[in-house]
Amino acid sequence: MIEADNITKRYGDFLAVDQVSFRAGAGEVIGFLGPNGAGKTTTMRILTGFLPATDGRARIAGHDIFEEPLAARRAVGYLPETPPLYPEMDVTGYLEFVAKIKDVPRARRRSAVESALERCGLADVHRRVIGSLSKGFRQRVGIAQAILHDPPVLILDEPTVGLDPIQIREIRGLIADLADPEKTEARTIVLSTHILAEVEAICRRVLMIHEGKMVLDSAIGELTAEGQSLEDVFARMTLREGEAA
Ligand SMILES: Nc1ncnc2c1ncn2[C@@H]1O[C@H](COP(=O)(O)OP(=O)(O)O)[C@@H](O)[C@H]1O
Ligand SMILES: [Mg+2]
């Protein structure tokens, strides 16, 4: 579903993402970990077609993001770090607007909006103005806009950042639900976070990036089977040069 080959991004002389490669199949829920500034957001923006790479290739559901950008973008739902919400719009109005700009055919727009409202637990607030919602509900609206066109791949950039513990639990539940093969077609979900417990709670595989380089790609079960915690692995993989283990 996702094939990333040597994705590289330079900002001037600064190498933000350095030859990142990975494959993700249908039904996988992957935690994308790394300290602040590691390159997570940059990689995700490239995969979702929001930012051109300096080098490398990527395909989403078989579509090359540079050669077939429209088809690739249609196959991916993206929750950016700051979702583009319009605080003065109501939830339904906003999602109808997103359905239009995402080219959901007119005849399917209403059912797409209703299904996203329902899946994201927004039915009770669908007439509320977005600006009046709690951060947890606004995040749900962000996820609703990402799944609106029912894409097979979801890329979620720090979906629980800034939420309180109850909201975090709700959003994790929602993500687990979106990945549940009994409830939907097998989706591929990549979510970035620096909360290790989050990855252990909802992901089966972890990718770790540090200073732009992929330093780990492993099933969580394999890591913890060796008796180490994810926290140990994270600390070891993201040591700065000169620091002792
Ligand atoms: N537009 C930009 N211009 C210059 N440097 C940038 C730009 N965007 C991000 N960076 C740098 O690239 C690195 C990776 O950033 P980012 O992908 O946002 O990391 P993460 O999401 O893992 O915290 C950081 O050092 C950041 O300062
Ligand atoms: Mg980021």
Side-chain angles (χ1 to χ4, degrees):
M1 277 299 189
I2 304 176
E3 301 157 85
D5 291 306
N6 297 312
I7 298 242
T8 298
K9 181 70 186 180
R10 280 177 195 282
Y11 292 111
D13 285 342
F14 178 72
L15 199 50
V17 175
D18 187 5
Q19 300 196 309
V20 161
S21 301
F22 69 95
R23 296 265 183 288
E28 283 200 278
V29 183
I30 300 178
F32 192 27
L33 280 173
N36 283 331
K40 302 181 296 297
T41 295
T42 305
T43 305
M44 292 177 135
R45 294 188 70 205
I46 290 170
L47 290 176
T48 51
F50 280 83
L51 187 71
T54 310
D55 209 350
R57 302 178 69 85
R59 280 145 68 91
I60 303 280
H63 303 290
D64 188 291
I65 56 170
F66 310 114
E67 283 163 15
E68 307 168 75
L70 283 178
R73 278 177 76 155
R74 237 171 236 149
V76 62
Y78 177 38
L79 174 71
E81 256 179 333
T82 322
L85 302 179
Y86 294 86
E88 70 285 359
M89 287 180 111
D90 70 30
V91 175
T92 298
Y94 169 68
L95 292 176
E96 281 169 352
F97 163 72
V98 173
K100 212 181 280 177
I101 58 177
K102 285 196 177 185
D103 283 336
V104 175
R106 184 180 282 273
R108 261 191 275 142
R109 271 180 219 158
R110 178 177 290 256
S111 70
V113 169
E114 274 171 12
S115 134
L117 286 170
E118 161 140 11
R119 302 225 56 194
C120 296
L122 289 165
D124 289 346
V125 299
H126 76 284
R127 281 293 170 205
R128 291 264 301 272
V129 168
I130 291 172
S132 77
L133 297 174
S134 69
K135 186 148 197 314
F137 271 104
R138 286 205 300 275
Q139 200 68 342
R140 285 168 185 254
V141 177
I143 295 175
Q145 66 77 30
I147 66 169
L148 200 55
H149 56 304
D150 203 20
V153 174
L154 282 180
I155 297 204
L156 311 175
D157 198 351
E158 302 203 19
T160 61
V161 74
L163 302 183
D164 71 34
I166 293 170
Q167 294 167 336
I168 287 177
R169 205 169 60 181
E170 288 172 358
I171 295 293
R172 282 185 193 161
L174 168 56
I175 294 168
D177 218 45
L178 290 173
D180 185 345
E182 298 198 343
K183 295 186 182 163
T184 48
E185 316 230 325
R187 282 203 178 90
T188 304
I189 302 184
V190 178
L191 63 106
S192 72
T193 178
H194 35 227
I195 309 173
L196 302 177
E198 186 145 293
V199 174
E200 292 184 301
I202 43 187
C203 306
R204 288 217 210 107
R205 179 173 156 207
V206 56
L207 301 175
M208 227 177 259
I209 185 173
H210 179 48
E211 294 175 349
K213 290 190 180 63
M214 193 74 95
V215 292
L216 181 81
D217 177 352
S218 173
I220 290 181
E222 276 169 34
L223 287 176
T224 43
E226 291 164 20
Q228 49 189 353
S229 71
L230 197 50
E231 203 176 340
D232 296 335
V233 178
F234 186 77
R236 189 154 38 81
M237 293 296 178
T238 58
L239 276 181
R240 287 189 187 84
E241 263 172 62
E243 284 176 350

